[in-house]
Amino acid sequence: CYIYIYIEHFKLEKSMIVTHVEKGSQITMKDGSYKSIEDILPGDDVQTYVMGGEDFDSANISNNEQKNTKVMNCGKSTEEMPLVKINFESVSFDDDGEEVKSESSLVMNSTGVMMGGDDIGWVIPDFDRLTNILVNEENNNTEEVADWGNQLEVGMDVSADSDKSLMNKKVISIEEVSDVETYYIDGLKDGDTIFANDVLVLVDRGGEVDRL
């Protein structure tokens, strides 16, 4: 079944869904350039999607226009957390129309949140762990949490940046890692996402997500 992005009246506490990524991960800025996550400062302009409003096409993210917004809060992670390295494969075409395959990766916390390919919705490396936190510690409704996201799996597509539009990257492996320095962006003036190593990940605006 399809996972819809917006669920009215369901609130997730910001501290529970912050996406932490490895030092050196490249964040896509307003002008399309990259900046390492550890160098991001409040006030920096980053690329985003504004996912509120009736005009947003939640089933086909690529049909929406990318926007830019200012970072409100960011910093170095200070807590220990389970981390995973997600390896991707993507396909593009050169000037002669020949298929070109490339590989990339992103290290993030296991309860971090990415956008899946079209009609998939939010995906989480350890969705059971995040569900347990949201239900048992934050008193969210079990069914609403279950409908909100999906378990990330090998072979699944995620949404990634491609010259101010979106492409799919296929997950080819997921492995646990440790002893990695991570940073986060957990507040935007407007918008609901950032691109980390071109992968579209969730970022709250104003402290909580109330329409996912």
Side-chain angles (χ1 to χ4, degrees):
C1 63
Y2 294 157
I3 304 298
Y4 293 93
I5 293 176
Y6 296 105
I7 298 175
E8 299 292 341
H9 309 304
F10 178 41
K11 297 182 181 291
L12 298 178
E13 294 298 326
K14 179 177 67 173
S15 60
M16 294 295 101
I17 56 171
V18 174
T19 302
H20 301 253
V21 297
E22 182 180 16
K23 178 181 179 180
S25 297
Q26 298 297 293
I27 306 303
T28 305
M29 309 305 290
K30 175 182 178 180
D31 62 359
S33 64
Y34 295 104
K35 191 173 183 179
S36 295
I37 181 71
E38 68 270 21
D39 296 327
I40 296 290
L41 298 171
D44 283 350
D45 286 301
V46 297
Q47 287 288 334
T48 191
Y49 278 97
V50 180
M51 295 184 169
E54 295 180 356
D55 295 333
F56 188 81
D57 186 350
S58 59
N60 301 282
I61 306 299
S62 59
N63 289 342
N64 301 280
E65 181 182 358
Q66 288 184 22
K67 307 287 187 179
N68 60 81
T69 188
K70 292 188 180 300
V71 172
M72 302 301 289
N73 191 47
C74 56
K76 182 179 179 179
S77 308
T78 58
E79 58 184 288
E80 293 187 7
M81 65 194 80
L83 301 170
V84 295
K85 180 179 182 181
I86 306 162
N87 296 300
F88 307 98
E89 181 181 78
S90 58
V91 177
S92 59
F93 296 89
D94 62 20
D95 294 338
D96 297 324
E98 296 293 325
E99 184 177 277
V100 178
K101 292 185 178 181
S102 59
E103 294 186 3
S104 59
S105 64
L106 180 66
V107 174
M108 64 189 296
N109 55 317
S110 67
T111 53
V113 182
M114 294 178 291
M115 175 56 66
D118 285 349
D119 295 329
I120 296 176
W122 300 117
V123 290
I124 301 94
D126 192 346
F127 188 50
D128 287 344
R129 180 182 176 88
L130 181 60
T131 298
N132 183 67
I133 292 171
L134 293 173
V135 171
N136 295 328
E137 297 184 19
E138 299 300 322
N139 299 315
N140 283 291
N141 181 279
T142 303
E143 293 183 359
E144 288 180 326
V145 174
D147 287 340
W148 172 75
N150 202 0
Q151 173 67 42
L152 180 70
E153 298 178 349
V154 172
M156 183 178 287
D157 287 335
V158 301
S159 295
D161 196 24
S162 176
D163 192 25
K164 293 193 174 182
S165 62
L166 289 182
M167 64 179 292
N168 286 335
K169 287 180 179 281
K170 186 175 296 294
V171 177
I172 57 176
S173 65
I174 305 170
E175 56 189 279
E176 295 181 1
V177 295
S178 59
D179 299 323
V180 175
E181 187 175 339
T182 59
Y183 288 75
Y184 63 87
I185 296 172
D186 71 347
L188 299 174
K189 182 177 180 181
D190 297 296
D192 306 278
T193 57
I194 58 171
F195 290 101
N197 289 357
D198 290 330
V199 176
L200 191 61
V201 302
L202 175 66
V203 176
D204 292 349
R205 60 169 131 174
E208 60 185 14
V209 176
D210 58 5
R211 290 191 297 172
L212 294 173

